[in-house]
Amino acid sequence: NSSTSYIDQTMNRSKRATTNGPELQIPPAKSILVALSGGPDSTLLLHLLHRESKSHKFKLFAAHINYRL
């Protein structure tokens, strides 16, 4: 469906992959820092890691630098 956003489409693929494929492997960590560009890929990564942070018990931080200053 062309009206479905890129993030929604990727989330649907991600749900199918987690249901049918291997689980996301995250090494034990106290915190993870995500470099966030603001685009759909890094936004999706941040969303997925936020969801996993609850079950894997790590703190999640995002860093964004605006170079247009």
Side-chain angles (χ1 to χ4, degrees), residues 23-48:
E23 204 175 299
L24 178 63
Q25 298 294 315
I26 299 175
K30 292 183 179 180
S31 60
I32 293 178
L33 175 64
V34 175
L36 185 65
S37 70
D41 293 335
S42 64
T43 302
L44 178 65
L45 175 63
L46 182 64
H47 175 77
L48 292 173

Side-chain angles (χ1 to χ4, degrees), residues 2-69:
S2 61
S3 65
T4 306
S5 75
Y6 172 79
I7 291 179
D8 289 335
Q9 291 172 8
T10 308
M11 286 295 295
N12 289 334
R13 283 194 299 271
S14 172
K15 287 177 189 173
R16 286 193 306 270
T18 14
T19 303
N20 300 327
E23 204 175 299
L24 178 63
Q25 298 294 315
I26 299 175
K30 292 183 179 180
S31 60
I32 293 178
L33 175 64
V34 175
L36 185 65
S37 70
D41 293 335
S42 64
T43 302
L44 178 65
L45 175 63
L46 182 64
H47 175 77
L48 292 173
L49 286 172
H50 179 259
R51 186 175 68 189
E52 293 298 316
S53 69
K54 296 172 186 174
S55 62
H56 286 81
K57 299 184 184 349
F58 60 83
K59 292 182 182 179
L60 182 62
F61 298 93
H64 178 264
I65 298 173
N66 184 349
Y67 288 106
R68 295 182 183 177
L69 296 175

